[in-house]
Amino acid sequence: KQHTSSNMTDATALVNELTRQFQANDVDGGKATLTKLKIWMLDMPSGSDASPESTVLAATGLELGALLSVSDDDLDAFARNISQLKPYYATLASYSDANIATERKCHVLGLNLMHLLVDNRLSEFHAELELLSEAEAGSPYVSFPITLERQLMVGSYDEVLNAGSHVPDPSYSFFMENL
């Protein structure tokens, strides 16, 4: 069943509200809005049956959820949002118009790489690298954890410690503190 235009309007309003809450660092309000958005997502067609617009809305909401969970120091919620997000990224990549992307994809992918690095899940880290496009890997958000991992592997610990003052976004500091 297709999402009706009123459902899309509701979802757009929820994503806009979630964006405002994220920008205002309203973690509790954001969690409540994200829950409403996830309920909307349950009725959404999946995979190639979903419209690009609804897929972008869902992915954007989950990206904001991942970023809110970092603000809340909640690694479990971060990991859940990332695992829920991956099918949406795969769907977006499957559309013939490859230019469909979300605003925060590289930011979230980079944070996920940081999470895997902090947890010493290096095989998963390298598996995620294989999935990146050249453009994504070149993004400052993604290249930061890639460089950090190389510095760790060669034992350049001074450079790793200094990297904390050059994070591409304040959200990376949470992972740097746990490294």
Side-chain angles (χ1 to χ4, degrees):
K1 97 185 170 184
Q2 281 297 324
H3 265 118
T4 63
S5 61
S6 70
N7 277 347
M8 286 294 287
T9 304
D10 293 347
T12 302
L14 286 172
V15 169
N16 290 339
E17 178 67 13
L18 187 57
T19 302
R20 279 192 298 281
Q21 290 164 324
F22 169 69
Q23 290 167 341
N25 203 26
D26 176 6
V27 174
D28 291 335
K31 285 179 184 175
T33 303
L34 183 62
T35 298
K36 292 176 192 168
L37 187 65
K38 286 182 177 182
I39 291 168
W40 170 81
M41 289 163 56
L42 290 173
D43 290 332
M44 191 177 129
S46 59
S48 58
D49 292 339
S51 72
E53 297 79 16
S54 61
T55 305
V56 167
L57 279 175
T60 299
L62 290 169
E63 287 171 344
L64 288 164
L67 294 171
L68 275 170
S69 59
V70 171
S71 299
D72 199 29
D73 295 345
D74 188 345
L75 275 180
D76 291 337
F78 176 78
R80 280 191 305 275
N81 282 306
I82 292 295
S83 62
Q84 291 169 346
L85 192 50
K86 286 183 180 197
Y88 291 100
Y89 282 161
T91 300
L92 287 172
S94 73
Y95 291 125
S96 55
D97 179 3
N99 291 332
I100 300 175
T102 54
E103 186 183 334
R104 297 175 184 84
K105 181 177 183 183
C106 289
H107 187 170
V108 170
L109 291 175
L111 286 173
N112 188 44
L113 289 171
M114 290 295 292
H115 179 226
L116 296 173
L117 201 54
V118 166
D119 274 2
N120 202 28
R121 292 160 45 196
L122 298 181
S123 59
E124 289 175 68
F125 179 93
H126 288 281
E128 289 294 319
L129 290 184
E130 296 297 318
L131 302 174
L132 297 172
S133 70
E134 237 177 271
E136 289 165 347
S139 151
Y141 291 118
V142 176
S143 63
F144 181 81
I146 293 171
T147 302
L148 204 56
E149 189 265 349
R150 287 187 187 132
Q151 291 167 340
L152 286 167
M153 291 306 108
V154 297
S156 302
Y157 301 114
D158 286 344
E159 289 179 40
V160 171
L161 291 172
N162 291 335
S165 60
H166 306 296
V167 291
D169 184 82
S171 56
Y172 282 64
S173 298
F174 171 70
F175 293 105
M176 288 301 295
E177 290 164 11
N178 291 293
L179 195 57

